[in-house]
Amino acid sequence: MMRLEGLYAITPDWADTAHLVTITEAILKGGCKVLQYRNKTASPCHRNEQAAALRGLTRRHGAVLIINDDLDLALAVEADGVHLGAEDGDLAAARARLGPDRWLGASCYQHLDLARAARAAGADYVAFGSFFASPTKPLAGRADAALLSAAGAELDCPVCAIGGISLANAPGLVAAGAHLLAVISAVYNSADPERASRDFMQLFENSRP
């Protein structure tokens, strides 16, 4: 399995599959290697169509495809893994169904204890947030950047930051220890998604010794 690092692009709830694929391809061309398919408004049939299209796209670009909150869909389209929230299924059961060669991610919100439990259940990476105000989840609680440092020091896995992340506020999260930056609006709504992707990836290049 490849190393998870850098921009972690998450798809918006767009109905137009062709447009979604076009913008996603630009983001992947910018260097992004981790993509999460997330669409809370589409029908099951539409979600399968979009996920399958993105599966083909990520294969062509050598990128990882993670499916949000839907293990059955992840397995159906042969995605590289699934990401589960606290109410989206048992992590240990998901680990068993995924096998050892697919990624399992877990939302841990503002709690290091949840991250410890997720790792014990077989999660490959943990995600914390929201770090900033987010249009996707405006009522989400806020996480402190110190949580990234604490998790990185204790847990032997990639640590992901999510929630209202932009190119302006991202450097502090990378400096605090984020291995992944989960981003929706700052890339998908950018006037130049490929350039935005490249700029996010550059933050990680600049952070390396």
Side-chain angles (χ1 to χ4, degrees):
M1 291 165 63
M2 66 178 281
R3 179 182 181 183
L4 293 186
E5 182 183 69
L7 173 64
Y8 185 176
I10 301 180
T11 63
D13 291 344
W14 287 353
D16 187 336
T17 301
H19 182 59
L20 177 66
V21 168
T22 296
I23 301 303
T24 300
E25 183 156 33
I27 292 167
L28 297 180
K29 284 181 178 178
C32 176
K33 291 297 182 184
V34 188
L35 175 72
Q36 182 184 123
Y37 173 61
R38 179 186 187 276
N39 191 327
K40 296 294 189 180
T41 63
S43 68
C45 182
H46 196 183
R47 282 166 52 80
N48 189 81
E49 171 199 314
Q50 292 189 330
L54 294 173
R55 170 72 286 191
L57 185 66
T58 52
R59 279 182 172 146
R60 291 197 298 275
H61 287 271
V64 167
L65 176 65
I66 306 291
I67 303 296
N68 178 268
D69 295 352
D70 193 333
L71 178 56
D72 289 336
L73 178 60
L75 294 173
V77 300
E78 300 182 351
D80 298 294
V82 69
H83 184 96
L84 299 178
E87 300 177 356
D88 299 315
D90 182 77
L91 288 170
R95 176 79 280 162
R97 289 187 64 194
L98 284 170
D101 299 324
R102 287 189 170 96
W103 296 101
L104 176 60
S107 293
C108 300
Y109 310 100
Q110 303 90 41
H111 307 293
L112 187 55
D113 284 348
L114 285 179
R116 294 187 186 108
R119 280 292 284 158
D124 297 299
Y125 71 90
V126 295
F128 297 103
S130 177
F131 285 92
F132 307 101
S134 168
T136 304
K137 293 188 176 182
L139 301 180
R142 295 295 175 82
D144 189 277
L147 185 57
L148 298 170
S149 301
E154 180 178 335
L155 304 176
D156 183 24
C157 70
V159 177
C160 176
I162 190 169
I165 297 172
S166 67
L167 281 166
N169 60 36
L173 299 178
V174 176
H179 303 100
L180 293 160
L181 296 176
V183 178
I184 302 177
S185 299
V187 286
Y188 275 95
N189 293 340
S190 171
D192 189 341
E194 183 176 345
R195 174 63 183 271
S197 174
R198 188 176 297 114
D199 289 344
F200 271 108
M201 293 301 293
Q202 189 63 45
L203 296 176
F204 291 87
E205 293 292 333
N206 294 341
S207 72
R208 291 173 182 157

